[in-house]
Amino acid sequence: MATFLNLLIVGLATGAIYALIALGYTMVYGIIELINFAHGDIFTLGTFVTIAILSMLGVTAANPPSTMSWVLVSELALACIGSFLFCAVLGVLIERVAYRPLRNAPRLAPLISAIGVSLVLQDVGKLWFGNTNVSFVSLPIGSVQMGPVNVDVINIFVLVVAIILMAGLQLLVTRTRIGRAMRAVAQDRDAAALMGVNVNLIIGVTFFIGAGLAGAAAFIYSLKFPNTYFYLGFEQGLIAFTAAVLGGIGNLVGAMFGGLIIGLIYSLVTLIPATVLPHGGNAWNKAVIFAILILILVFRPSGLFGQNTPEKV
């Protein structure tokens, strides 16, 4: 039971990271109906920016801090803000250069452009930090005893930060003027423009927020996991995309719950013994995730929270 509960907490924390990445996919699809395949690679560069900022502040994997202090907390906060802003600005630039000129082109054109941007960003990451694993800083964060379960503090921190960001996004979209504009553009771009909405600005803001959330996810990923590499975003992006599809692509609440569900599945599959699956469930968790993606696309393409809607023209 203790092992199950611990995996449950780990799965929720991991799923919270997937949810933050999935929100970027679902926001962009909801407003311009594009699967932004470069989104995962923006996440990768966010992990690199986190490492670079901490290195400039003297916090490195080769010289990890021995104790937590307010100075270290402020340095981590700077790294988080820096990763968010870098990824957010990068997302806006990508939209302006690679997607906006193709907005009225056949649908295949922006899709190919997104794949091309993804490959470019992977090569940028490879040139920046090489093609080997890059270690994160190991922070002196312990664990707390919660009943029969020994919970790592970092998992609690990841969950709290992710929930705050997701709740803030939901409030932004549902309770603010810019959120109403985003929903109007997502529903009917031309009608929103006739009502005075600056469509280009709103689409840019959507990319800013979605890519920024990927940057925040990159920061908390760097606290929870040991290393990163230039290809990380492709793998994590596919899993996050599965979460977005599971919840209902274009649905923010669906992306949040989809990420948490995928994180739980990813974690709990490790309980399957080698007598059931060769080499145990840990060797099959990604296969299970992508099998779920295929099943969703076949039997319920609208996802758990999505609705079948007529195609926009």
Side-chain angles (χ1 to χ4, degrees):
M1 179 57 70
T3 301
F4 174 79
L5 292 175
N6 189 56
L7 286 174
L8 200 65
I9 295 170
V10 171
L12 287 172
T14 305
I17 297 175
Y18 293 148
L20 288 177
I21 304 173
L23 284 169
Y25 282 108
T26 206
M27 288 178 70
V28 169
Y29 184 85
I31 205 162
I32 61 173
E33 294 189 331
L34 169 70
I35 304 299
N36 183 14
F37 283 107
H39 188 65
D41 301 289
I42 294 174
F43 166 80
T44 301
L45 293 185
T47 63
F48 289 162
V49 169
T50 298
I51 293 174
I53 293 176
L54 290 177
S55 296
M56 287 190 295
L57 296 173
V59 183
T60 64
N63 185 30
S66 57
T67 58
M68 289 295 294
S69 65
W70 286 112
V71 173
L72 178 58
V73 170
S74 63
E75 291 170 339
L76 292 173
L78 284 174
C80 180
I81 295 171
S83 178
F84 181 96
L85 291 177
F86 174 87
C87 292
V89 172
L90 179 60
V92 173
L93 289 175
I94 290 172
E95 188 276 330
R96 183 66 183 85
V97 174
Y99 300 154
R100 188 179 300 182
L102 301 173
R103 194 175 294 165
N104 296 317
R107 289 195 176 188
L108 189 60
L111 187 64
I112 294 173
S113 179
I115 296 173
V117 172
S118 172
L119 295 174
V120 169
L121 294 182
Q122 287 179 27
D123 283 344
V124 169
K126 193 189 304 183
L127 288 172
W128 191 0
F129 277 90
N131 58 359
T132 58
N133 287 344
V134 184
S135 297
F136 293 125
V137 179
S138 179
L139 296 177
I141 301 177
S143 58
V144 294
Q145 193 70 30
M146 299 177 65
V149 185
N150 194 34
V151 181
D152 290 336
V153 173
I154 191 61
N155 287 326
I156 300 175
F157 175 78
V158 167
L159 273 172
V160 170
V161 171
I163 289 172
I164 291 173
L165 289 173
M166 289 187 285
L169 175 64
Q170 183 67 9
L171 289 174
L172 173 71
V173 172
T174 58
R175 301 293 180 87
T176 67
R177 184 174 182 179
I178 194 168
R180 288 195 296 271
M182 291 169 66
R183 286 183 280 129
V185 173
Q187 185 173 2
D188 192 321
R189 193 186 309 166
D190 295 331
L194 290 174
M195 296 301 294
V197 176
N198 188 332
V199 173
N200 286 333
L201 175 63
I202 294 302
I203 292 175
V205 169
T206 301
F207 272 84
F208 184 91
I209 296 172
L213 289 175
F219 168 75
I220 59 178
Y221 181 94
S222 71
L223 302 182
K224 179 173 172 54
F225 294 93
N227 52 55
T228 182
Y229 49 95
F230 78 97
Y231 204 65
L232 174 70
F234 178 77
E235 298 177 353
Q236 300 300 311
L238 283 178
I239 297 175
F241 175 68
T242 303
V245 173
L246 173 63
I249 192 75
N251 187 300
L252 294 181
V253 175
M256 298 175 194
F257 280 98
L260 294 175
I261 292 170
I262 290 296
L264 287 172
I265 294 172
Y266 194 92
S267 179
L268 294 177
V269 164
T270 59
L271 290 174
I272 300 176
T275 54
V276 177
L277 286 175
H279 309 293
N282 196 45
W284 290 83
N285 43 20
K286 290 181 181 178
V288 170
I289 296 300
F290 295 127
I292 291 172
L293 174 60
I294 294 171
L295 292 173
I296 295 167
L297 292 174
V298 171
F299 294 106
R300 189 173 172 81
S302 61
L304 298 178
F305 293 83
Q307 296 179 349
N308 291 317
T309 55
E311 186 175 341
K312 298 178 184 177
V313 295

